[in-house]
Amino acid sequence: MTFKEQIKQGIPAILPSKKAYDISINHAPKRKEILSADEKKLALRNALRYFDAKHHAELLPEFVDELEKYGRIYMYRFRPDYKMQARDIAEYPGKSEQAKAIMLMIQNNLDYAVAQHPHELITYGGNGAVFQNWAQYLVTMRYLSEMTNKQTLTMYSGHPMGLFPSNKNAPRVVVTNGMVIPNYSKPDDWEKMNALGVSQYGQMTAGSYMYIGPQGIVHGTTITVLNAFRKINKEPKGNLFVTSGLGGMSGAQPKAGNIAGCITVCAEVNAKITQVRLDQGWIDEKITDLDKLVARVKLAKSTKERVSIAYLGNIVEVWEKFDTENVHVDLGSDQTSLHNPWAGGYYPTDISFEDANIMMAEHPKKFKEKIQETLRRHANAINKHTAKGTYFFDYGNAFLLEASRAGADVMAENKIDFKYSSYVQDIMGPMCFDYGFGPFRWVCASGKPEDLAKTDKIACEVLEEIKQHSPEEIQQQMADNIQWIKGAQENKLVVGSQARILYADAEGRVKIAKAFNKAIKKGEIGAVVLGRDHHDVSGTDSPYRETSNIYDGSKFTADMAIQNVIGDSFRGATWVSIHNGGGVGWGEVINGGFGMLLDGSKVASKRLESMLFWDVNNGISRRSWARNKEAVFAIKRAMKSEKNLQVTLPNMVDDKLIDSIN
């Protein structure tokens, strides 16, 4: 069968043969035992409902085996035989170009070069899933190959509920992930519902089909590191950034350190993923001995070298060794998947990676104790460094949150706040999000590198033109992004699809998108898919990350994210998504995202202008109402540019008046 024929058939009428478990692939760890005997039977019923009853007797023992061995039913037998990668949009079958664009993005999320655990349909973060099983993938791709522009596909946590009549202006796909009743949003609730096959963790851009490999977070981390060094009045050259985590998107940290120009040490316990990052060029060197690591860092400091080093081992050992050896750390953070601490997102000290995976599945209570013991050690080591002048920031991975829950010394004197700020509070919030700058991204649907190069040039020209009349308050942001886009080709950031990201405000996003659409109309480039990370101005309500610099008491509300996805859906998005959970954990955040196909048409031009303006200014208005002065400045500027925009502005209260109350 051809690729198109395989897509169109969905679940094959004749069962494919069983597939061997490929040990060369980086697999998800076994999930812990969470289901009762009756619940296991329910999970099996749920899995078998995708298949004709005549196949149930053959598939049942296989699914029983998967549930026992892996804690989930992945349906490995149904993995497609074709290569999983984003193809030229013209290679996909279908009646709708918009649907073809979505198929392209789904396959990009599952590309072996992109996905963390591709056979388990997990893109990054240990549990950020595109689908729960391979039957869902097959049915979804079939629906997309059949749908017209008068239908919408409804996705319930990876399950394609069906094609419904809509209209050409409606989104082609609406995605929800993990949207459970609030009182059922604890980690074990996710474990149980995911094992039953009824809910999944979509992360931020995994379950919304908008992940572009580590490039997305490379840019955000580069901006963060540059501004962190500015904050401590140091240049990156010859100075040290220490962090951890190379799995999934966190492989971006050493690459970002190289772009910023500092020395980066990133610890990782998984030997397989460390080697992958070395082979991909995301790290320069790998070291397995702490004494050699100390010597190498001291040499790099003495020569003011730009280098990224992976230490194969636990990050706690690095912090403790650098303390005893008096290796000064300038910047420190952490990017392990601590939103998922009990299922492979973070590993304990003094136990091998392999033994930890066994303990995780077979002795979860003991594993949790070891994790919390490690977190206390981790925090104590960091505290010793910060006492010597290290600037440590929480990078939004729930490190401080989980450390506090473990009883680690991370709380401020008031016992309410953390002693270290989130990077959003200190850097990204006031410098970027409040001004409307966030991660605008695009994918060249042709798959041609030359199209990406042309879009880079177009985006750079647009930004340089905008910068000429931009106010002083955002000149630094403009300069950083122009520098980034000029070096994008040189830094070899593409993994998977021909994609790019840069931080832009509403003006930048609209003007860049319009320029792309004109180039498509002229035939200079092929179609382009627009999107963004959920980690942005408007799309995410996350009190420990994206909205951690909201101080009016509303940071635990999620009106902004919900309004965002509803507003995007009727303003022209090709697909929209809303998730419970993300980089800081299940039950800790609501994330909303979108995708939009540009095809060179007048309709696309109108849609992008309406939707992108809303997608940014929704968040700025909320941030201005919280009395963030940068956001007040930004929303006033937006109202001047758009006469139909009227936003309620806050009246500032004299602090002395409030303080006079007994």
Side-chain angles (χ1 to χ4, degrees):
M1 296 177 74
T2 66
F3 170 71
K4 287 184 177 181
E5 287 170 340
Q6 289 183 74
I7 292 291
K8 291 169 74 173
Q9 78 167 340
I11 295 174
I14 299 173
L15 289 183
S17 58
K18 286 182 67 175
K19 288 183 169 61
Y21 187 80
D22 187 348
I23 60 172
S24 69
I25 297 296
N26 191 39
H27 286 283
K30 180 185 177 181
R31 307 305 184 182
K32 69 179 180 181
E33 189 86 10
I34 192 76
L35 300 180
S36 67
D38 284 343
E39 287 168 338
K40 287 179 180 178
K41 291 179 180 179
L42 180 57
L44 292 163
R45 288 191 183 94
N46 289 345
L48 288 169
R49 61 184 162 178
Y50 285 100
F51 307 95
D52 192 297
K54 66 185 179 183
H55 298 309
H56 289 182
E58 182 176 348
L59 292 174
L60 179 61
E62 190 175 317
F63 290 171
V64 169
D65 186 58
E66 286 187 13
L67 192 58
E68 291 298 323
K69 281 184 178 176
Y70 314 118
R72 298 291 187 273
I73 301 171
Y74 296 115
M75 308 179 186
Y76 290 122
R77 175 196 289 253
F78 294 94
R79 278 194 301 106
D81 292 324
Y82 51 76
K83 187 174 182 180
M84 192 63 66
Q85 63 179 15
R87 293 161 167 78
D88 182 334
I89 192 170
E91 294 185 35
Y92 291 93
K95 304 167 186 175
S96 164
E97 287 299 300
Q98 295 180 48
K100 291 179 184 180
I102 297 166
M103 285 191 270
L104 182 159
M105 296 303 294
I106 286 172
Q107 289 203 307
N108 186 64
N109 268 24
L110 295 171
D111 186 325
Y112 285 17
V114 174
Q116 184 182 14
H117 305 307
H119 286 190
E120 288 77 37
L121 302 116
I122 290 171
T123 302
Y124 63 85
N127 57 3
V130 188
F131 300 98
Q132 296 180 67
N133 57 59
W134 285 102
Q136 291 178 346
Y137 167 85
L138 294 174
V139 176
T140 299
M141 296 295 276
R142 177 176 66 80
Y143 275 141
L144 289 169
S145 74
E146 296 172 351
M147 77 184 306
T148 71
N149 286 338
K150 292 184 179 180
Q151 292 174 301
T152 293
L153 175 60
T154 303
M155 299 295 301
Y156 281 37
S157 280
H159 169 65
M161 189 59 74
L163 290 172
F164 291 82
S166 59
N167 61 75
K168 64 181 182 180
N169 295 317
R172 295 283 68 80
V173 177
V174 176
V175 178
T176 55
N177 281 302
M179 299 305 292
V180 301
I181 305 302
N183 280 350
Y184 302 90
S185 206
K186 297 182 290 296
D188 274 359
D189 293 323
W190 171 76
E191 291 281 356
K192 179 169 287 190
M193 284 184 270
N194 195 224
L196 286 170
V198 297
S199 192
Q200 74 173 10
Y201 193 93
Q203 257 289 350
M204 303 187 82
T205 52
S208 61
Y209 326 141
M210 191 42 72
Y211 190 54
I212 57 169
Q215 180 184 171
I217 199 174
V218 170
H219 180 263
T221 307
T222 300
I223 297 294
T224 300
V225 171
L226 284 172
N227 285 304
F229 275 115
R230 288 170 184 151
K231 188 175 180 66
I232 62 175
N233 297 313
K234 286 186 176 182
E235 63 174 14
K237 190 176 181 180
N239 289 315
L240 178 60
F241 171 42
V242 171
T243 184
S244 55
L246 286 172
M249 65 164 60
S250 46
Q253 296 176 107
K255 174 70 86 171
N258 276 1
I259 295 170
C262 63
I263 303 161
T264 306
V265 171
C266 188
E268 171 59 55
V269 295
N270 185 331
K272 187 175 289 185
I273 198 65
T274 304
Q275 189 60 43
V276 167
R277 296 297 177 227
L278 184 64
D279 294 341
Q280 289 176 336
W282 290 78
I283 52 176
D284 297 325
E285 301 173 18
K286 178 178 72 174
I287 294 177
T288 59
D289 179 88
L290 282 170
D291 290 324
K292 289 180 180 177
L293 178 65
V294 169
R296 182 68 184 90
V297 169
K298 286 182 175 178
L299 175 63
K301 277 177 166 281
S302 68
T303 58
K304 293 198 171 184
E305 186 179 356
R306 180 187 73 176
V307 65
S308 57
I309 305 163
Y311 171 68
L312 181 55
N314 199 290
I315 183 59
V316 178
E317 300 167 357
V318 176
W319 283 108
E320 290 175 345
K321 184 71 171 180
F322 282 4
D323 175 49
T324 58
E325 297 291 333
N326 291 314
V327 175
H328 180 69
V329 179
D330 299 279
L331 300 182
S333 192
D334 186 82
Q335 191 63 352
T336 52
S337 297
L338 263 163
H339 69 278
N340 182 33
W342 325 125
Y346 184 87
Y347 281 79
T349 54
D350 304 325
I351 181 171
S352 72
F353 177 68
E354 294 74 20
D355 288 345
N357 281 330
I358 294 170
M359 184 189 293
M360 183 195 311
E362 298 182 2
H363 305 286
K365 186 177 179 182
K366 185 178 180 182
F367 183 78
K368 182 175 181 178
E369 290 171 357
K370 293 287 289 181
I371 289 291
Q372 293 192 320
E373 177 187 307
T374 300
L375 281 167
R376 291 191 291 271
R377 253 179 85 178
H378 195 160
N380 286 340
I382 288 167
N383 290 340
K384 290 178 180 178
H385 282 273
T386 57
K388 299 176 185 178
T390 296
Y391 172 56
F392 183 86
F393 56 91
D394 186 291
Y395 200 32
N397 67 326
F399 171 73
L400 291 178
L401 182 63
E402 288 301 335
S404 69
R405 290 169 175 169
D409 180 15
V410 294
M411 302 307 295
E413 289 183 9
N414 63 13
K415 306 298 181 185
I416 298 172
D417 301 316
F418 297 127
K419 65 167 63 178
Y420 303 115
S421 295
S422 153
Y423 75 115
V424 173
Q425 289 175 291
D426 264 11
I427 299 167
M428 300 302 280
M431 293 193 68
C432 293
F433 295 165
D434 286 351
Y435 283 117
F437 284 83
F440 179 58
R441 56 177 59 168
W442 65 89
V443 175
C444 295
S446 67
K448 296 176 180 177
E450 55 266 36
D451 275 8
L452 184 59
K454 289 174 185 176
T455 59
D456 285 346
K457 186 174 183 293
I458 291 169
C460 189
E461 289 171 353
V462 170
L463 292 180
E464 287 179 325
E465 192 278 327
I466 294 174
K467 186 176 184 293
Q468 292 179 17
H469 60 78
S470 292
E472 185 178 345
E473 287 86 346
I474 61 172
Q475 283 290 315
Q476 184 67 66
Q477 291 90 327
M478 298 298 298
D480 282 348
N481 280 286
I482 290 168
Q483 180 183 347
W484 162 268
I485 202 70
K486 284 182 174 178
Q489 295 282 334
E490 177 189 339
N491 288 314
K492 298 179 181 178
L493 297 163
V494 170
V495 176
S497 61
Q498 294 295 315
R500 187 67 73 227
I501 182 173
L502 56 79
Y503 269 41
D505 61 4
E507 180 185 11
R509 298 184 206 203
V510 169
K511 287 184 175 178
I512 291 170
K514 278 192 166 184
F516 289 168
N517 205 48
K518 286 180 182 178
I520 296 165
K521 184 179 180 181
K522 292 178 181 177
E524 295 169 359
I525 57 174
V528 170
V529 176
L530 300 182
R532 59 161 168 75
D533 193 349
H534 297 206
H535 173 62
D536 198 4
V537 181
S538 297
T540 295
D541 279 300
S542 178
Y544 297 108
R545 191 160 70 181
E546 285 79 3
T547 46
S548 60
N549 70 318
I550 299 292
Y551 301 111
D552 69 348
S554 71
K555 70 179 182 178
F556 293 101
T557 66
D559 298 271
M560 181 178 73
I562 299 299
Q563 288 282 357
N564 189 258
V565 75
I566 293 171
D568 283 356
S569 69
F570 65 77
R571 285 181 172 88
T574 304
W575 72 96
V576 292
S577 60
I578 190 79
H579 309 327
N580 166 25
V584 295
W586 176 265
E588 304 286 357
V589 53
I590 299 295
N591 292 304
F594 77 87
M596 174 180 274
L597 177 67
L598 300 184
D599 59 6
S601 66
K602 287 183 180 179
V603 172
S605 184
K606 288 180 180 179
R607 285 179 175 176
L608 72 88
E609 189 165 8
S610 174
M611 201 216 73
L612 293 177
F613 185 85
W614 154 259
D615 192 67
V616 174
N617 284 295
N618 167 49
I620 298 177
S621 63
R622 186 268 180 96
R623 292 168 184 277
S624 72
W625 186 240
R627 294 184 291 271
N628 293 15
K629 63 180 183 179
E630 295 87 357
V632 173
F633 168 87
I635 203 65
K636 285 181 177 178
R637 189 165 168 252
M639 283 192 283
K640 283 183 181 179
S641 73
E642 173 51 71
K643 65 179 181 179
N644 288 325
L645 177 66
Q646 296 182 48
V647 172
T648 309
L649 296 174
N651 293 296
M652 301 301 176
V653 181
D654 188 338
D655 288 342
K656 291 180 181 178
L657 181 64
I658 300 296
D659 292 341
S660 67
I661 299 174
N662 293 326

